[in-house]
């Protein structure tokens, strides 16, 4: 054995968690600072990787294990496998990143028929010895021999039933002896071999089992879910630790504790313990544990020592600790410590409190919190006391919880929402024309689509809960029905969705409203002190702008005018504009839209004053504002059927001599009105067919619309500039920015700039003031990146639209990729991340860096930002800081996350590397 694979606790480097695992490193460190830790040693993660690669333990490893066992024997005055005073050990996993419960542990190792008798003689407690033995046989059988727990549990439950005992503690020594014998039979039956009596064979099999658990399904799934890469943690260490027992009588106990309350962050003794029990009893809930404060009455001196242990741990690690301890015959042992996992509120409070206490610096207070964790604080959350099981699960597309009545179309959602009812919009998939339903709904549930589907993107932008791609749900919009197996959910039924987990529940589950606490405000004010890159918001309404400002946004990086067009009071005007056959007809519709758009922009400028507001001119293709071809054909058929019915009813009334008028409400609809509706629908159908494109996202959209229909862009530009003029006349400090989408050549910018210059002169003359605004472009095509230097001759700012730029760079359709092959690419490692969630620094990022350099070479000091979905992702923000962007822009609920991530980017900039 050339490498050193084993370190005794008194020799290992407590700072090297990559080599020794978090648990092993902490056991070494606690031993070396004088805490009472049972003797033991760590087998390194390198030994694990060697074993997994070669399918056998490294040469000479078991010889080193024997040598280290001898050291433990000397320290504990016990002998491994001895018939008189046997040494028992635990074999525990432990990787560099804590993965609670994901890998395997074996307790009481070293017991066999010989050592069992020695343990009975040494302790004088037959019940204790058989209790330890039956626990060991089952754990070893499950972990090392692969026997299902059920095989053991059946016999255990049967003995309890025969004895008329409900609680495990009621079993006496004879019961536990019988259970042990039955467990030994299970091992013989399931493996074809007797239970191993050689204690070193037990130890070798256990070491291999713990190593193998690194690649077990639980551990692999956990690492994938929490994005734990091999750089962060690779392999598990094995910790071999002298057993100490909390189940040897009433002067023994076992417990777990936190140095502060993990639910609230309050600085108090927190934890639970059990007298006369082993640690697994606390974790498994076999018995109801007691609050740690009660230990001050049962064992006052031990409680005092426990308080001292808690203080030493937090003082040393300068972090909230989650620790485990055992009391054996009046002696307190610390078995483990690790950084405590807390909810977001507790993490924020403890950060602020520990700075106030002088325990940590502001920098540490910021860096100890994962920015993503803050999202918990900004969306309604399900009541943690909820016990109702879920009925289905989709993708957690937009966090938060929502409850309401099911509706299956956007119009119904709007009607019910306006009446004050809470609704959940259920669709197979959503389209832009459903936007009014989004506004009215508490949450959105789709059976198709991914985390960056239309529903997901829009819901996140609105801060609404969304579960997408719930494929187990069959949604039938016509029947107003959703089916999950045998469960039928009808329109009007109440459901609850959890956009943070993707779970769906029947009925109402109480939610907890978010609070932007004073502690969070304090923490984020510290973040702003360190951050260089600014955080703007992607919002489209004054209400969302005010919310974004309250979250700390310093501007609007993207206002999507098409979201304004989709509102129910504007969409008919937009449709009239699209259906217009002449420029004059189109201009007439635009003149009706103009004052509405101008007021929209004025309210946005006022809400975000004095910060910049970047308005993107119309981007999506025209057909997105119209119903689909199939829908229109059905509606025309329905109208024709209805016309026949109206005619038949009138004939009936005339024949019976009941008068010429239909009763209400039919008297409001006559054949002439229905014919008018049919004509409009047929015109819309004709236009939909005219506008059809094979690939509309690469077709007639963005600035290309502005070239074909200049009057549309001219109306929007005038709306923006007149809104700016009104605000300026009112002495309001504003910073408007006009942004042109989908640009590929400077000639497009020059043409739009001509519209801007002409309208600017007219507005300045009309209002008698000089306007101050900026003109720029989105960078979302590869050609725009390669021509950035030329674009900067006209554009005063760039904003990367990384959603489209990612599609163009990868040659991926986002929806198709996410629904078909992208999950496979991520699972198999072909791509490390979903590039629509995490900025592709190696590909898209290189285009961005090249663009920024070229743009600033032409226009020094040019402001450049990002407004794609990735703009709110912490790792993406680190890259944006690295290439010296001025701002990131994201949905309002992600603003606090981005503010904290911006501080991380600055504080960790010297450690940043791409890939």
């Amino acid at each position: 054995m050339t490498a050193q694979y084993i370190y005794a606790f008194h020799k290992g480097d407590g700072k090297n968690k990559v080599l020794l695992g978090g648990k092993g490193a902490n056991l070494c460190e606690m031993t070396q600072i004088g805490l009472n830790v049972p003797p033991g040693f760590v087998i390194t993660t390198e030994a694990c990787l060697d074993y997994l690669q070669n399918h056998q333990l490294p040469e000479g490893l078991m010889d080193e294990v024997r040598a280290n066992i001898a050291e433990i024997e000397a320290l504990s005055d016990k002998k491994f496998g001895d018939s008189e005073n046997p040494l028992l050990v635990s074999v525990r996993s432990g990787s560099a990143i804590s993965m609670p419960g994901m890998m395997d542990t074996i307790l009481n190792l070293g017991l066999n028929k010989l050592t069992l008798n020695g343990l009975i003689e040494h302790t004088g407690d037959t019940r204790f010895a058989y209790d330890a033995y039956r626990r060991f046989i089952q754990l070893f059988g499950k972990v090392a021999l692969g026997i299902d727990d059920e095989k053991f549990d059946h016999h255990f439950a049967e003995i309890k039933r025969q004895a008329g005992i409900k609680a495990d503690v009621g079993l006496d020594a004879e019961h536990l002896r019988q259970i042990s014998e039955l467990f030994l039979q299970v091992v013989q039956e399931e493996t074809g071999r007797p239970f191993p009596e050689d204690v070193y064979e037990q130890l070798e099999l256990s070491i291999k089992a713990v190593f193998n658990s690194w690649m077990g399904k639980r551990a692999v799934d956990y690492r994938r879910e929490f994005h734990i890469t091999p750089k962060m943690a690779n392999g598990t260490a094995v910790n071999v630790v002298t057993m100490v027992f909390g189940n040897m009588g009433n002067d023994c106990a076992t417990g777990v504790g936190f140095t502060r309350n993990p639910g609230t962050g309050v600085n108090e003794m927190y934890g639970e313990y059990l007298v006369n029990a082993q640690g697994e009893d606390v974790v498994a809930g076999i018995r109801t544990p007691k609050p740690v404060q009660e230990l001050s009455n049962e064992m006052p001196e031990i409680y005092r020592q426990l308080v001292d242990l808690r203080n030493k741990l937090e003082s040393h690690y300068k972090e909230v600790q989650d620790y485990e301890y055992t009391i054996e015959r009046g002696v307190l042992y610390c078995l483990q410590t690790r950084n405590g996992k807390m909810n977001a509120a507790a993490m924020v409070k403890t950060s602020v409190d520990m700075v106030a206490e002088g325990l940590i610096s502001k920098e540490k207070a910021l860096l100890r919190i994962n920015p993503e964790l803050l999202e918990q604080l900004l969306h309604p959350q399900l009541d943690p006391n909820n016990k109702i099981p879920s009925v289905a699960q989709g993708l957690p597309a937009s966090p938060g919880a929502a409850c309401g009545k099911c509706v299956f179309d956007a119009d119904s959602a709007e009607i019910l929402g306006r009446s004050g009812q809470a609704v959940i919009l259920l669709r197979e998939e959503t389209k832009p024309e459903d936007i009014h339903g989004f506004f009215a709904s508490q949450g959105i549930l789709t059976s198709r689509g991914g985390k960056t589907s239309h529903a997901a993107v829009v819901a996140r932008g609105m801060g609404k809960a969304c579960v997408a791609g719930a494929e187990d749900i069959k949604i039938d919009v016509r029947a107003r029905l959703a089916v999950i197996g045998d469960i039928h959910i009808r329109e009007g039924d109440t459901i609850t969705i959890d956009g943070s987990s993707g779970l769906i529940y029947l009925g109402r589950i109480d939610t907890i409203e978010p609070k932007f606490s004073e502690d969070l405000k304090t923490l984020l004010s510290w973040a702003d002190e360190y951050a260089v890159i600014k955080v703007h918001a992607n919002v489209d309404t004054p209400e969302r702008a005010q919310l974004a400002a309250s979250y700390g946004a310093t501007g609007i990086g993207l206002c999507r005018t098409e979201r304004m067009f989709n509102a129910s009071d504007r969409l008919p005007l937009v449709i009239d504009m699209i259906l217009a056959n002449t420029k004059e007809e189109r201009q007439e519709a635009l003149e009706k839209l103009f004052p509405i758009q101008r007021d929209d922009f004025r309210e946005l400028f006022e809400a975000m004053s004095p910060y910049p507001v970047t308005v993107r001119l119309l981007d999506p293709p025209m057909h997105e504002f119209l119903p689909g071809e199939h829908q229109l054909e059905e509606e025309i058929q329905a109208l024709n059927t209805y016309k026949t019915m109206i005619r038949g009813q009138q004939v009936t009334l005339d024949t019976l001599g009941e008068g010429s008028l239909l009763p209400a409400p039919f008297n409001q609809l006559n054949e002439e009105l229905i014919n008018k509706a049919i004509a409009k629908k047929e015109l819309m159908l004709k236009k939909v067919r005219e506008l059809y494109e094979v690939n509309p996202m690469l077709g007639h959209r963005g600035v290309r619309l502005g070239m074909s229909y200049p009057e549309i862009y001219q109306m929007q530009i005038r709306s923006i500039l007149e809104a700016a003029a009104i605000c300026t006349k009112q002495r309001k400090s504003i910073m408007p920015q006009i942004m042109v989408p989908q640009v590929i050549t400077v000639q497009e910018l020059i043409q739009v700039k001509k519209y801007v210059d002409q309208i600017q002169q007219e507005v300045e003359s009309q209002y008698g003031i000089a306007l101050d605004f900026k003109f720029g472009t989105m960078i979302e095509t590869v050609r725009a990146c390669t021509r950035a230097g030329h674009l900067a001759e006209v554009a005063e700012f760039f904003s990367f639209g990384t959603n489209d730029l990612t599609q163009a760079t990868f040659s991926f359709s986002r929806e198709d990729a996410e629904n078909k092959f992208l999950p496979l690419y991520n699972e198999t490692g072909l791509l490390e991340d979903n590039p629509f969630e995490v900025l592709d620094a190696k590909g898209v990022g290189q285009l961005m860096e090249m663009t920024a350099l070229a743009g600033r070479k032409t226009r020094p000091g040019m402001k450049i930002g990002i407004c794609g979905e990735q703009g709110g992702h912490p790792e993406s923000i680190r890259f944006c800081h690295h290439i010296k962007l001025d701002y990131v822009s994201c949905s309002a609920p992600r603003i606090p996350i981005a503010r904290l991530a911006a501080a991380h980017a600055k504080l960790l900039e010297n450690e940043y590397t791409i890939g």
Side-chain angles (χ1 to χ4, degrees):
M1 189 171 68
T2 55
Q4 182 174 351
Y5 284 137
I6 298 181
Y7 293 85
F9 289 167
H10 61 275
K11 293 180 181 177
D13 180 1
K15 299 290 187 287
N16 195 346
K17 293 186 177 183
V18 172
L19 181 66
L20 303 181
K23 187 177 297 178
N26 286 337
L27 286 167
C28 291
E29 192 154 350
M30 288 192 296
T31 298
Q32 292 165 37
I33 65 173
L35 298 182
N36 193 22
V37 176
F41 58 88
V42 188
I43 306 174
T44 67
T45 57
E46 289 180 352
C48 172
L49 297 176
D50 186 292
Y51 168 77
L52 292 174
Q53 181 177 347
N54 298 308
H55 306 292
Q56 62 183 20
L57 294 176
E59 185 181 350
L61 181 68
M62 286 308 296
D63 292 334
E64 285 295 305
V65 167
R66 287 174 182 270
N68 278 270
I69 286 287
E71 282 194 40
I72 295 178
E73 289 175 334
L75 290 168
S76 65
D77 198 28
K78 297 178 181 180
K79 294 288 184 183
F80 196 46
D82 188 59
S83 61
E84 295 181 2
N85 187 17
L87 168 68
L88 304 184
V89 297
S90 63
V91 180
R92 298 171 179 265
S93 60
S95 71
I97 300 291
S98 178
M99 298 167 54
M102 296 303 108
M103 293 178 291
D104 292 327
T105 291
I106 295 174
L107 304 177
N108 305 331
L109 188 142
L111 279 172
N112 56 26
K113 291 174 181 176
L114 187 67
T115 58
L116 175 65
N117 291 326
L119 188 63
I120 292 171
E121 289 183 21
H122 182 70
T123 62
D125 190 338
T126 305
R127 186 194 182 283
F128 158 73
Y130 275 108
D131 189 34
Y133 193 35
R134 64 94 183 171
R135 290 172 188 265
F136 170 54
I137 298 167
Q138 179 166 2
L139 255 182
F140 185 88
K142 174 187 174 184
V143 173
L145 304 178
I147 302 170
D148 286 343
D149 261 334
E150 293 177 1
K151 305 288 185 181
F152 299 104
D153 292 341
H154 167 72
H155 292 296
F156 193 79
E158 181 60 23
I159 293 291
K160 285 171 67 176
R161 187 191 67 78
Q162 290 175 9
I165 293 168
K166 292 186 177 179
D168 296 356
V169 291
L171 295 168
D172 62 23
E174 178 55 25
H175 294 137
L176 294 168
R177 186 195 64 77
Q178 293 176 39
I179 290 169
S180 300
E181 290 298 327
L182 289 168
F183 282 7
L184 291 172
Q185 288 179 28
V186 168
V187 172
Q188 176 74 52
E189 291 166 2
E190 294 297 317
T191 67
R193 295 181 54 205
F195 190 86
E197 292 288 304
D198 183 335
V199 293
Y200 278 102
E201 182 186 356
Q202 294 175 1
L203 185 54
E204 182 174 348
L205 288 172
S206 298
I207 292 168
K208 290 177 178 178
V210 173
F211 281 161
N212 283 324
S213 70
W214 176 254
M215 294 307 298
K217 186 177 186 306
R218 282 175 302 162
V220 171
D221 289 347
Y222 187 93
R223 293 197 297 275
R224 181 170 57 243
E225 178 67 24
F226 290 95
H227 307 291
I228 298 173
T229 65
K231 280 189 176 181
M232 298 161 66
N234 200 8
T236 178
V238 171
N239 303 283
V240 179
V241 190
T242 303
M243 283 296 303
V244 288
F245 296 97
N247 59 335
M248 295 176 72
N250 289 332
D251 59 348
C252 303
T254 186
V256 295
F258 283 79
T259 55
R260 299 182 190 226
N261 186 316
T264 65
V266 171
N267 188 357
E268 61 184 2
M269 283 292 288
Y270 183 91
E272 297 172 321
Y273 74 101
L274 279 171
V275 172
N276 196 18
Q278 276 200 309
E280 64 189 68
D281 297 340
V282 178
V283 176
I286 294 169
R287 290 162 54 192
T288 303
K290 302 175 184 178
V292 70
Q293 286 78 9
E294 290 189 22
L295 190 64
S296 62
N297 298 322
E298 287 197 75
M299 302 179 189
E301 174 55 24
I302 291 294
Y303 182 76
R304 185 196 64 75
Q305 292 177 27
L306 193 62
V307 171
D308 187 50
L309 170 65
R310 171 246 192 189
N311 293 339
K312 284 180 178 176
L313 286 172
E314 191 167 276
S315 177
H316 177 77
Y317 287 102
K318 300 190 184 303
E319 179 57 271
V320 176
Q321 292 296 292
D322 168 7
Y323 58 98
E324 297 178 13
Y325 58 91
T326 286
I327 302 159
E328 181 183 277
R329 292 181 169 170
V331 179
L332 174 66
Y333 294 90
C334 189
L335 305 184
Q336 165 175 320
T337 192
R338 59 190 173 199
N339 290 348
K341 292 186 181 297
M342 296 175 282
N343 63 32
M347 284 295 289
V348 170
K349 178 170 178 54
T350 52
S351 271
V352 173
D353 286 353
M354 287 193 291
V355 170
E357 294 161 15
L359 190 63
I360 60 174
S361 64
K362 287 183 181 178
E363 292 94 328
K364 176 67 185 294
L366 294 167
L367 290 173
R368 68 187 285 270
I369 299 178
N370 180 346
E372 294 279 11
L373 196 63
L374 297 187
E375 194 157 29
Q376 289 181 14
L377 302 176
L378 303 171
H379 296 279
Q381 301 295 313
L382 288 185
D383 187 336
N385 297 318
N386 159 53
K387 304 296 182 187
I388 299 173
S390 60
V391 294
Q393 184 169 19
L395 297 172
S398 182
C403 178
K405 294 181 177 179
C406 295
V407 294
F408 291 87
D409 68 274
D411 292 336
S412 298
E414 183 177 45
I415 293 167
L416 292 173
R418 281 182 175 175
S419 70
Q421 297 188 54
V423 298
I424 304 291
L425 177 60
L426 276 68
R427 304 284 284 164
E428 283 189 302
E429 59 190 356
T430 62
K431 296 180 179 178
E433 60 262 28
D434 292 327
I435 193 76
H436 57 294
F438 279 57
F439 286 130
S441 301
Q442 302 300 306
I444 297 92
L445 169 60
T446 70
S447 59
R448 293 207 293 256
K451 290 183 180 179
T452 51
S453 62
H454 173 267
V457 172
V458 175
R460 278 197 294 275
M462 294 180 174
K464 292 182 182 288
C466 176
V467 174
E471 295 179 353
D472 291 339
I473 303 179
K474 307 303 177 189
I475 295 178
D476 187 337
V477 174
R478 289 187 185 178
R480 325 301 280 179
L481 181 68
V483 179
I484 310 169
D486 295 332
I487 300 170
H488 287 61
I489 303 172
R490 293 176 172 80
E491 191 155 66
D493 290 349
T494 297
I495 65 169
T496 299
I497 63 172
D498 185 353
S500 302
S501 65
L503 294 172
I504 301 145
Y505 303 84
L506 295 180
R508 175 176 298 279
I509 297 175
D510 291 336
T511 58
I512 301 170
E513 286 300 314
K515 292 182 180 178
F516 210 93
S517 68
E518 290 303 315
D519 285 330
L520 181 56
K521 291 177 184 176
T522 299
L523 185 86
L524 292 178
S525 71
W526 297 343
D528 294 341
E529 291 173 13
Y530 289 97
V532 173
I533 200 166
K534 301 298 182 187
V535 178
H536 295 181
N538 296 345
V539 296
D540 317 303
T541 66
E543 295 77 22
R544 298 302 294 175
Q546 289 167 359
L547 179 66
S550 74
Y551 286 168
T554 54
I556 294 177
L558 176 63
C559 169
R560 294 149 289 204
T561 51
E562 62 271 11
R563 299 282 177 87
M564 300 170 171
F565 282 174
N566 268 308
S568 57
D569 59 334
R570 297 104 189 272
L571 189 56
L573 298 175
V574 176
I575 291 173
D576 287 345
M577 174 191 74
I578 295 170
L579 297 180
N581 289 318
T582 66
K583 183 177 179 180
E584 290 73 25
E585 289 177 356
R586 192 157 40 252
Q587 190 65 47
E588 183 180 347
L590 288 169
E591 285 173 1
K592 295 176 183 177
L593 274 172
F594 165 70
I596 300 173
Q597 282 262 279
R598 181 186 59 199
D599 290 345
D600 286 338
F601 296 136
R602 176 182 55 77
E603 291 175 11
L604 269 180
F605 296 156
E606 290 172 350
M608 196 48 70
S609 172
Y611 297 116
V613 174
T614 305
V615 180
R616 180 179 72 186
L617 299 178
L618 188 63
D619 181 37
M622 289 293 201
H623 78 270
E624 287 201 4
F625 297 101
L626 297 173
E629 181 178 10
H630 183 61
Q631 179 183 339
L632 285 167
E633 287 172 342
E634 286 188 339
E635 289 174 350
I636 291 168
Q637 182 181 353
L639 284 168
N640 279 313
T641 300
Y642 194 51
K643 182 171 72 172
T644 302
M645 287 173 57
I646 292 291
R647 186 181 298 162
Q649 287 171 327
Q650 189 62 58
V651 169
T652 301
L653 290 170
D654 291 344
T655 301
L656 297 174
E658 299 292 335
S660 61
L661 292 177
L662 288 167
F666 302 106
N667 59 5
Q668 303 299 314
L669 290 173
N670 54 42
E671 209 169 322
E672 183 181 348
L673 278 174
I674 296 171
N675 285 332
K676 189 175 179 182
I678 291 171
K680 185 163 186 178
K681 291 290 183 181
E682 287 176 340
L683 186 60
M684 290 167 69
L685 179 59
K686 180 183 176 185
K687 182 61 70 172
V688 164
R689 288 168 175 164
E690 285 177 8
L691 294 173
Y692 171 78
E693 294 177 290
V694 174
N695 194 334
M697 299 315 292
L698 297 178
H700 201 184
R701 59 174 291 209
V703 70
R704 301 184 279 281
L705 283 175
M707 297 298 99
S708 301
Y709 307 107
E711 55 272 17
I712 297 176
Y713 270 22
Q714 287 165 354
M715 180 277 287
Q716 291 195 300
I717 293 164
R718 186 175 296 278
S719 300
I720 295 165
L721 295 184
E722 283 205 18
I726 292 168
C727 291
T728 303
K729 290 274 279 187
Q730 296 172 348
R731 301 187 181 280
K732 289 173 180 167
S733 178
I734 60 168
M735 297 175 62
Q737 301 192 148
I738 298 173
M739 183 163 68
V740 185
Q742 290 291 321
V743 166
I744 58 169
T745 171
V746 71
Q747 298 304 319
E748 292 168 323
L749 281 182
I750 290 170
Q751 186 61 45
V752 179
K753 187 67 164 62
K754 286 180 182 177
Y755 307 158
V756 171
D757 291 343
Q758 176 62 38
I759 295 168
Q760 179 185 359
Q761 289 182 17
E762 294 170 4
V763 172
E764 287 181 340
S765 175
Q766 178 184 350
Y767 286 87
I769 56 165
L771 292 171
D772 183 15
F773 65 95
K774 299 239 182 266
F775 177 79
T777 183
M778 285 187 86
I779 302 291
E780 47 194 333
T781 66
V782 175
R783 193 174 196 278
C785 295
T786 63
R787 302 294 292 166
H790 293 277
L791 297 179
E793 294 170 2
V794 180
E796 297 172 279
F797 68 89
F798 287 163
S799 179
F800 289 105
T802 47
N803 298 337
D804 278 334
L805 186 56
T806 298
Q807 290 193 105
T809 304
F810 278 84
S811 194
F812 282 178
S813 159
R814 182 177 67 192
E815 294 273 344
D816 290 333
E818 287 207 323
N819 288 327
K820 292 192 170 84
F821 59 84
L822 194 52
L824 172 67
Y825 269 52
N826 292 146
E827 287 170 12
T828 57
L830 293 171
L831 283 175
E832 188 172 322
D833 297 298
N834 179 339
F836 299 108
E837 295 178 355
V838 183
L839 186 65
D840 167 42
K842 296 176 184 176
V844 176
Q846 299 311 297
L847 289 172
M848 292 171 64
E849 186 171 21
M850 176 187 76
T851 302
L853 290 171
R856 285 172 174 156
K857 184 176 180 181
T858 299
R859 190 181 290 270
M862 184 183 206
K863 296 290 184 187
I864 304 177
I866 174 177
C867 61
E869 278 288 298
Q870 299 94 330
H873 186 273
E875 191 62 24
S876 305
I877 291 170
R878 289 190 73 183
F879 175 78
C880 293
H881 173 89
H882 174 69
I883 64 170
K884 296 180 170 56
L885 297 193
D886 295 288
Y887 69 87
V888 297
S889 191
C890 56
S891 60
R894 292 195 71 82
I895 288 165
I897 296 166
R899 289 169 68 189
L900 182 55
H904 281 208
K906 175 61 180 174
L907 292 168
L908 300 173
E909 63 184 351
N910 293 332
E911 302 174 18
Y912 183 74
T913 57
I914 296 174

